[in-house]
Amino acid sequence: MQEQLKNMRLRQVDESLEPWRAMIDQPRPRGGWVRSIRQALGMSAAQLGKRLGLSRQGVAELERREVGYSITLAALERAAEAMGAKLVYAIVPLEDLEATRRAQARRRAEHRLKRIAHSMRLEAQAVSEKEYLRQVQENERALLRNWSRHIWDQEDPSTTKG
């Protein structure tokens, strides 16, 4: 039952992200959204500043921080409200969430089995490539089925062999 609930939640989040995926490649305006919208509205920096309780220079600094990715979400939200707009914020995975989980479980399974396979080769007990791939698939399925959080463990490059 727990697995079904987790799978359902994954699908629900994925579906809610669908409208955002179309916007992934949309570029941000060169001068940032605040400046772009402010200018499109015909609002001066001084006028926006008055609505925000900032000087014209304060608005210029806010716009510079947006372009430099150092602005806070709270500051963006206040600026949006002052221009009659709404801040919309999302983290949009490049692939659907199930594909992301599956790929990570595969990497984790391969990482685990490469260490074992290396030890077995040293002891002249290596398995065939076909058997190795079967074991990777089996390990991947188990990680996914059990919703193991270990798929996200950071791999230690010093222990990677093969």
Side-chain angles (χ1 to χ4, degrees), residues 89-106:
Y89 172 82
I91 295 175
V92 185
L94 298 175
E95 293 184 287
D96 68 74
L97 297 173
E98 181 57 33
T100 302
R101 273 187 81 241
R102 202 175 318 108
Q104 184 61 28
R106 178 75 174 202

Side-chain angles (χ1 to χ4, degrees), residues 31-45 47-52 59 62-63 66 71 75-87:
W33 287 108
V34 174
R35 175 186 240 172
S36 180
I37 292 170
R38 176 181 61 74
Q39 289 177 338
L41 290 170
M43 186 185 291
S44 72
Q47 291 167 323
L48 177 58
K50 187 169 184 162
R51 290 167 172 249
L52 291 170
V59 170
L62 180 136
E63 292 174 350
E66 180 194 358
I71 194 166
L76 274 177
E77 188 169 48
R78 284 193 309 276
E81 288 172 3
M83 296 183 291
K86 181 89 174 146
L87 174 67

Side-chain angles (χ1 to χ4, degrees), residues 7 10 97-105 143-144 147 151-152:
N7 284 326
L10 181 126
L97 297 173
E98 181 57 33
T100 302
R101 273 187 81 241
R102 202 175 318 108
Q104 184 61 28
L143 288 167
L144 291 170
W147 277 84
I151 68 172
W152 301 108

Side-chain angles (χ1 to χ4, degrees), residues 78-137:
R78 284 193 309 276
E81 288 172 3
M83 296 183 291
K86 181 89 174 146
L87 174 67
V88 180
Y89 172 82
I91 295 175
V92 185
L94 298 175
E95 293 184 287
D96 68 74
L97 297 173
E98 181 57 33
T100 302
R101 273 187 81 241
R102 202 175 318 108
Q104 184 61 28
R106 178 75 174 202
R107 281 190 292 274
R108 193 69 191 148
E110 287 174 345
H111 177 74
R112 284 179 173 179
L113 291 171
K114 276 182 184 175
R115 289 187 317 199
I116 295 166
H118 177 73
S119 296
M120 290 179 73
R121 271 194 308 275
L122 292 175
E123 297 169 9
Q125 297 175 352
V127 296
S128 69
E129 182 68 19
K130 184 177 178 181
E131 177 59 18
Y132 171 77
L133 291 174
R134 190 194 65 71
Q135 289 176 9
V136 168
Q137 280 185 326

